[in-house]
């Protein structure tokens, strides 16, 4: 059985059903939907689900944040929609260029982010062992660990060739082949050996000697090659995808299997090396140079801006371009100073959550804080943001303040990262491969100071009243209560019932069940406020004021109590699970009556929403209905 079946069904229903889905992708924590009609989204219902952190429209997409389970949810979502991934990932023609760029960067970088961080961690640990004298560069262990840490970056265009090809909906293996051509072991030495024919952009950061030609066309190949680069291969895949689609339209299917990849590689590899690669490389170098220049003018201003905007960008899901700049710096310079500026953000979010955990007396709030802190230690900060800090705006501001101070400290002391890694383990990425640990100590100091600031601000200005409603701290904007199933059986939507009083919601919202066993139990603690003499209908008022009608069968009132045995009396105080009534399924069926039994929330108007289960089969005590109160619990202080 699939692990996220109910959640996937719930999401699909509330984004307007699968016919409303144009495309879907995902990043580390969120599903990203392209929809035909965004007005069909039931956002309030979506964010009421305990497994969904938040949902919002941003960057031209509808984003549903589900946390670190996103990959599993995405896989089941694709299967449930009944479409292949390639069929889902279609671009909207009316998207802005910015949105297209952000989406492609996200799709290209996210799949390799985990292994990218793992490689960075290996590099950092290797540098730490060298600094401590545990290894020498001539040791065999050093060689193997160095290969493990640098293999990804050395062959980065191959990995990105695959992921960016998939992002452009083309053959991923063609993308890998083109990426491999860019970093083929002998290509750099072969194309940059001997005396240059001439030099382009002399005496500038773009200076490029030309050593060879391709049938008379100068080959502009960067002296550092394309290893570790990001932009050239992604741009190359964009043009290759256009060419591949052209070929598929004009080449007969019988020979397309061979000819399409052959012509794609034969045409696009030379095109990439001669034109696309050099142009993309120049553009990326110009961006790097501009940021380097800005940073050289004022590291404080640069870090101030980055520190302030990063966490709001995370909320919008627009932070990936910033990380891509850092990765580009890493490839061009061998180090980066942008990712260090955002490095302390996950720690300040964790510090704020820790302060809330220590100050609050609400057990539910504490339970929300624990997983948020664990995730924060590994730079997954959405649970902390949506669960604890953002609902109380001052907390989010305190995290930004602390992170910005940390960014400024790191910039002032010139601490750089020599590998891409984040979270607690990412501190080793600040160790210079030559063994210099000064950046590591600066990072530790910046983390301690930034966390202290965020923690103290939250601790001092904490207001228990802001956290009295657990759901506010747990990211839910509406208070909720649940009604358990009084039956074991199959669920049926009310609108499918023939009885208009139920199907049209005259009596209230709810759901129906076809019972598998002949008894109904109390779905909650409360009082039996009404009990029909026939025993076919019971009204309950729960301890929290929810008025519930359980109607056994349709038109069964005509049986005058035959086949029904009442187990409680009107006015009785009941506990969840108490048997309310027993009934003879076989006897009622033989009489020709339907046993489909509606469960109705009769005071529906008292609630913001009534949410029925998405399960097709329920057992006793399974969550059947969630009632969402009208009290808005978000705190804007």
């Amino acid at each position: 059985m699939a692990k996220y079946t109910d959640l996937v069904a719930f999401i699909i229903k509330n984004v307007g059903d699968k016919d409303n889905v144009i495309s879907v992708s995902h990043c580390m924590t969120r599903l990203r939907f392209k929809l035909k009609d965004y007005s069909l989204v039931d956002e309030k219902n979506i964010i009421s689900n305990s497994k969904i952190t938040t949902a919002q429209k941003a960057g031209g997409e509808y984003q549903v944040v589900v946390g670190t389970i996103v990959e599993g949810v995405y896989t089941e979502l694709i299967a449930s929609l009944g479409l292949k991934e390639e069929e889902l990932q279609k671009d909207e023609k009316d998207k802005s260029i910015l949105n297209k760029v952000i989406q492609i960067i996200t799709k290209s970088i996210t799949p390799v982010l985990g292994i990218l961080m793992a490689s960075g961690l290996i590099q950092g640990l290797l540098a730490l062992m060298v600094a401590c004298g545990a290894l020498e560069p001539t040791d065999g262990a050093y060689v193997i660990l160095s290969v493990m840490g640098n293999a990804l970056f050395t062959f980065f265009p191959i990995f990105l060739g695959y992921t960016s090809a998939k992002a452009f909906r083309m053959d991923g293996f063609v993308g890998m082949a083109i990426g491999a051509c860019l970093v083929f072991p002998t290509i750099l030495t072969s194309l940059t050996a001997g005396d240059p024919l001439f030099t382009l952009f002399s005496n500038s950061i773009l200076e490029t000697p030309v050593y060879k030609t391709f049938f008379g066309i100068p080959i502009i190949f960067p002296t550092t090659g394309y290893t570790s680069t990001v932009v050239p291969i992604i741009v190359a895949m964009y043009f290759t995808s256009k060419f591949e689609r052209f070929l598929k339209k004009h080449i007969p299917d019988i020979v397309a299997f061979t000819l399409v990849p052959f012509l794609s590689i034969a045409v696009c590899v030379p095109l990439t090396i001669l034109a696309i690669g050099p142009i993309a490389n120049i553009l990326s170098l110009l961006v790097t140079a501009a940021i380097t220049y800005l940073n050289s003018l004022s590291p404080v201003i640069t870090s101030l801006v980055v520190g302030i905007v990063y966490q709001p960008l995370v909320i919008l899901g627009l932070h990936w371009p910033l990380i891509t700049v850092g990765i580009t710096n890493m490839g061009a310079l061998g180090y980066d100073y942008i990712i260090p500026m955002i490095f302390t953000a996950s720690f300040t979010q964790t510090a704020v959550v820790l302060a809330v955990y220590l100050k609050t007396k609400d057990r539910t709030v504490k339970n929300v804080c624990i997983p948020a802190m664990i995730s924060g230690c590994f730079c997954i900060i959405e649970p902390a943001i949506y669960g604890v800090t953002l609902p109380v705006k001052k907390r989010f501001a305190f995290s930004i303040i602390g992170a910005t101070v940390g960014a400024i400290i790191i910039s002032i002391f010139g601490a750089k990262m020599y590998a891409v890694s984040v979270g607690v383990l990412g501190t080793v990425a600040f160790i210079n491969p030559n063994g210099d640990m000064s950046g590591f100590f600066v990072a530790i100091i910046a983390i301690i100071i930034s966390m202290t600031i965020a923690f103290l601000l939250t601790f001092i200005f904490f207001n228990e009243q802001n956290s009295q409603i657990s759901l506010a701290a747990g990211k839910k904007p509406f208070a909720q209560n649940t009604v358990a199933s009084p039956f074991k059986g199959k669920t049926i939507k009310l609108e499918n019932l023939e009885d208009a009083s139920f199907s049209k919601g005259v009596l209230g919202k709810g759901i129906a069940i076809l019972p598998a066993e002949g008894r109904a139990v109390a779905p909650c603690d409360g009082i039996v406020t009404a009990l029909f003499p026939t025993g076919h209908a019971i009204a309950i008022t729960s301890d929290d004021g929810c008025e519930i009608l359980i109607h056994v069968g349709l038109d069964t009132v005509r049986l005058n109590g035959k086949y029904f045995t009442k187990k409680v009396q009107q006015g009785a105080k009941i506990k969840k699970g108490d048997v309310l009534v027993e009934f003879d399924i076989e006897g009622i069926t033989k009489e020709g009556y339907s046993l489909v039994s509606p469960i109705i929330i009769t005071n529906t108007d008292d609630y913001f929403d009534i949410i029925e289960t998405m399960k097709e089969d329920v057992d006793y005590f399974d969550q059947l209905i969630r009632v969402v109160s009208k009290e808005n619990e978000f705190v804007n202080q």
Side-chain angles (χ1 to χ4, degrees):
M1 181 178 177
K3 188 175 181 180
Y4 304 108
T5 302
D6 294 341
L7 179 59
V8 166
F10 176 84
I11 292 173
I12 291 175
K13 175 185 176 182
N14 288 285
V15 296
D17 221 333
K18 68 178 183 179
D19 291 338
N20 195 38
V21 177
I22 294 174
S23 67
V24 62
S25 59
H26 75 90
C27 55
M28 283 186 69
T29 59
R30 62 191 74 199
L31 300 165
R32 297 168 176 267
F33 287 92
K34 299 295 176 185
L35 304 174
K36 295 176 183 177
D37 186 353
Y38 289 90
S39 68
L40 297 179
V41 175
D42 190 345
E43 185 167 296
K44 292 182 176 65
N45 199 9
I46 290 174
I47 62 177
S48 70
N49 191 299
S50 61
K51 293 181 180 179
I52 296 174
T53 304
T54 193
Q56 64 190 355
K57 185 179 179 183
E61 312 169 307
Y62 193 77
Q63 303 174 2
V64 180
V65 183
V66 295
T68 53
I69 64 172
V70 65
E71 188 169 351
V73 176
Y74 174 77
T75 301
E76 292 188 25
L77 179 66
I78 297 299
S80 182
L81 287 167
L83 297 171
K84 296 179 181 179
E85 183 173 348
E86 289 81 1
E87 294 173 325
L88 283 170
Q89 295 181 336
K90 300 174 183 176
D91 290 326
E92 286 183 281
K93 294 181 180 179
D94 59 349
K95 286 192 304 181
S96 69
I97 293 177
L98 176 61
N99 287 336
K100 289 181 180 179
V101 170
I102 290 173
Q103 185 180 47
I104 293 303
I105 289 174
T106 300
K107 289 181 179 179
S108 300
I109 298 295
T110 301
V112 297
L113 195 59
I115 190 67
L116 186 66
M117 293 181 181
S119 298
L121 178 59
I122 293 172
Q123 292 180 52
L125 291 174
L126 181 61
L128 180 62
M129 285 187 280
V130 170
C132 296
L135 281 180
E136 294 291 338
T138 55
D139 293 342
Y142 178 94
V143 174
I144 294 176
L145 289 172
S146 179
V147 169
M148 291 164 56
N150 289 287
L152 175 68
F153 261 105
T154 301
F155 301 105
F156 207 30
I158 299 178
F159 291 83
L160 293 183
Y162 181 83
T163 58
S164 57
K166 301 302 287 185
F168 289 117
R169 306 186 311 280
M170 61 166 284
D171 189 338
F173 294 105
V174 170
M176 292 179 70
I178 294 176
C181 291
L182 292 179
V183 294
F184 193 78
T186 60
I187 191 170
L188 178 60
T189 55
S190 298
L191 293 180
T192 59
D195 297 326
L197 302 176
F198 55 89
T199 301
L200 297 174
F201 312 114
S202 298
N203 302 317
S204 74
I205 62 170
L206 303 178
E207 181 175 308
T208 307
V210 176
Y211 296 88
K212 298 286 191 300
T213 64
F214 181 80
F215 297 113
I217 302 173
I219 300 175
I220 306 171
F221 204 84
T223 55
T224 55
Y226 287 104
T227 59
S228 305
T229 58
V230 175
V231 178
I233 186 63
I234 295 178
V235 176
M237 287 305 97
Y238 170 75
F239 287 99
T240 305
S241 67
K242 299 290 185 184
F243 184 60
E244 185 186 76
R245 278 193 281 276
F246 170 81
L247 293 176
K248 288 181 176 180
K249 287 181 179 179
H250 295 87
I251 294 179
D253 292 341
I254 192 169
V255 293
F257 180 78
T258 301
L259 284 184
V260 169
F262 164 69
L263 291 174
S264 296
I265 293 172
V267 172
C268 293
V269 168
L271 180 64
T272 298
I273 292 177
L274 296 175
I276 297 173
I279 293 172
N281 191 53
I282 288 172
L283 291 175
S284 63
L285 287 175
L286 288 174
V287 171
T288 299
I291 296 175
T292 302
Y293 177 72
L294 176 63
N295 193 61
S296 65
L297 288 179
S298 178
V300 173
I301 292 178
T302 306
S303 59
L304 181 67
V305 172
V306 173
I308 291 174
V309 304
Y310 175 68
Q311 293 180 65
L313 287 177
V314 170
I315 296 175
L316 298 174
L318 303 178
H319 54 299
W320 290 107
L322 197 60
I323 295 173
T324 303
V325 171
I327 296 174
T328 302
N329 285 343
M330 199 78 68
L333 306 173
Y335 59 83
D336 175 53
Y337 45 82
I338 294 295
I339 296 177
M341 293 178 187
I342 65 178
F343 188 78
T344 58
S346 61
F347 295 97
T348 57
Q349 282 285 336
T350 303
V352 171
V353 176
L354 176 61
V356 173
Y357 178 82
L358 295 176
K359 289 286 285 187
T360 185
K361 297 179 181 179
D362 191 314
R363 178 56 55 183
T364 305
V365 176
K366 288 181 179 290
N367 290 339
V368 170
C369 290
I370 293 173
M373 285 189 287
I374 294 173
S375 298
C377 289
F378 297 95
C379 204
I380 305 296
I381 60 177
E382 281 89 348
I385 289 176
Y386 296 115
V388 182
T389 65
L390 190 60
V392 182
K393 301 302 185 293
K394 287 191 294 188
R395 298 175 187 168
F396 189 67
F398 295 156
S399 177
I400 292 176
I401 292 170
T404 304
V405 171
I408 292 173
I409 292 172
I410 286 175
S411 296
I412 289 176
F413 289 95
K416 302 177 180 64
M417 295 184 76
Y418 298 89
V420 179
S421 193
V422 293
V424 174
L425 302 177
T427 52
V428 294
F430 284 89
I431 302 174
N432 193 310
N434 65 18
D436 181 5
M437 295 187 63
S438 59
F440 172 79
F441 294 118
V442 170
I444 295 297
I445 293 171
I447 290 171
I448 293 173
I449 292 176
S450 61
M451 288 187 72
T452 301
I453 291 172
F455 177 86
L456 290 177
L457 286 173
T458 307
F459 197 86
I460 293 170
F461 293 102
F462 179 85
N463 184 349
E464 183 68 78
Q465 184 178 2
N466 291 347
S467 297
Q468 281 300 310
I469 305 299
S470 300
L471 295 166
K475 66 88 182 166
K476 299 304 178 188
F478 300 95
Q480 307 171 56
N481 294 301
T482 59
V483 176
S485 175
F487 300 105
K488 177 180 180 180
K490 292 189 174 295
T491 60
I492 300 172
K493 294 182 178 180
L494 287 185
E495 54 263 35
N496 294 333
L497 303 187
E498 295 181 1
D499 191 320
S501 61
F502 293 118
S503 62
K504 296 185 179 299
V506 175
L507 299 177
K509 293 183 179 181
I511 194 169
I513 297 176
L514 178 60
E517 296 180 0
R519 63 190 177 106
V521 303
C524 57
D525 295 347
I527 297 175
V528 178
T529 49
L531 177 62
F532 277 69
T534 58
H536 78 287
I538 309 102
I540 298 170
T541 299
S542 70
D543 286 347
D544 47 37
C546 186
E547 297 174 7
I548 307 159
L549 171 64
I550 302 171
H551 197 286
V552 183
L554 299 175
D555 294 325
T556 47
V557 64
R558 297 175 182 175
L559 291 171
N560 293 316
K562 186 179 181 182
Y563 306 116
F564 288 89
T565 303
K566 295 178 286 185
K567 294 295 183 179
V568 292
Q569 299 296 321
Q570 184 169 322
K573 176 68 176 175
I574 56 173
K575 292 290 185 181
K576 180 178 178 180
D578 289 348
V579 178
L580 302 175
V581 62
E582 292 179 347
F583 49 93
D584 184 349
I585 292 179
E586 186 178 353
I588 296 172
T589 303
K590 284 183 177 179
E591 294 279 358
Y593 291 93
S594 170
L595 269 168
V596 173
S597 303
I599 298 92
I600 306 296
I601 307 301
T602 56
N603 60 335
T604 291
D605 291 341
D606 292 345
Y607 295 97
F608 179 82
D609 202 2
I610 306 296
I611 306 164
E612 307 88 15
T613 183
M614 300 296 295
K615 288 184 177 180
E616 294 183 0
D617 297 282
V618 291
D619 204 344
Y620 298 110
F621 313 129
D622 282 354
Q623 180 177 295
L624 186 69
I625 298 172
R626 185 185 299 130
V627 293
V628 185
S629 74
K630 293 181 178 180
E631 294 88 9
N632 191 328
E633 301 300 347
F634 268 123
V635 182
N636 295 313
Q637 298 180 3

